[in-house]
């Protein structure tokens, strides 16, 4: 019985949602636009896709980037830390080696290119 209970607990834990899952509002980019990124598992890793785009006034806009993956290959490291991933910044068309840190309803996203010579980061907020 104890073995069966342990197996059920392990199966339940395996299917529990990662706390970072959900939709996140990015900070405005170099053009003043921002987006909603849906974060969810992609296999054993965490990925994020741009699901909506907005102009600086908060009006939803058509963007060729909607539907594109913004975050990929993130690995949960525990205690709200995620690493080994990549983040694409559409405003600069650059891909950054990235890490994320979850603190409540704030997701700190940061990354670097060129061996760490050029870095950038921003805080995203959870969309309620």
């Amino acid at each position: 019985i104890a073995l069966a209970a342990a197996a059920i607990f392990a199966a339940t834990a395996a299917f529990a949602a990662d706390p970072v899952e959900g939709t996140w509002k990015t900070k405005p980019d170099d053009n003043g636009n921002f987006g909603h990124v849906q974060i969810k598992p992609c296999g054993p890793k965490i990925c994020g896709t741009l699901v909506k785009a907005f102009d600086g006034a908060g009006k939803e806009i058509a963007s060729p980037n909607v539907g594109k993956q913004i975050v990929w290959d993130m690995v949960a490291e525990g205690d709200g830390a995620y690493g080994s991933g990549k983040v694409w910044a559409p405003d600069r068309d650059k891909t950054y080696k990235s890490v994320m840190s979850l603190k409540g309803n704030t997701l700190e996203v940061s990354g670097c290119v060129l061996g760490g010579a050029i870095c950038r980061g921003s805080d995203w907020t959870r969309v309620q």
Side-chain angles (χ1 to χ4, degrees), residues 4 25 27 33-34 41 48 62 66 72 83 101 115 121:
K25 178 184 174 187
K27 289 289 184 188
N33 300 331
F34 64 94
V66 170
W72 64 95
S101 178

Side-chain angles (χ1 to χ4, degrees), residues 2-127:
L3 184 58
I8 291 170
F9 176 76
T12 301
F15 292 110
D18 190 290
V20 78
E21 286 184 48
T23 303
W24 296 88
K25 178 184 174 187
T26 68
K27 289 289 184 188
D29 63 15
D30 289 347
N31 303 313
N33 300 331
F34 64 94
H36 285 178
V37 176
Q38 183 178 30
I39 303 282
K40 62 184 182 179
C42 53
K45 298 185 179 181
I46 302 291
C47 297
T49 303
L50 183 68
V51 294
K52 289 185 180 181
F54 301 87
D55 65 16
K59 180 181 178 215
E60 189 170 355
I61 58 173
S63 169
N65 298 318
V66 170
K68 291 186 178 180
Q69 202 167 58
I70 300 293
V71 177
W72 64 95
D73 287 343
M74 284 291 175
V75 176
E77 297 175 340
D79 293 327
Y82 300 83
S84 303
K86 302 268 192 280
V87 171
W88 175 58
D91 60 332
R92 296 185 183 182
D93 194 24
K94 293 206 181 302
T95 299
Y96 298 82
K97 183 178 176 184
S98 184
V99 297
M100 301 187 310
S101 178
L102 178 63
K103 295 178 181 166
N105 286 323
T106 300
L107 183 63
E108 297 173 1
V109 181
S110 60
C112 299
V113 294
L114 299 175
I118 301 172
C119 299
R120 141 182 226 206
S122 69
D123 291 346
W124 298 359
T125 54
R126 190 179 298 275
V127 175

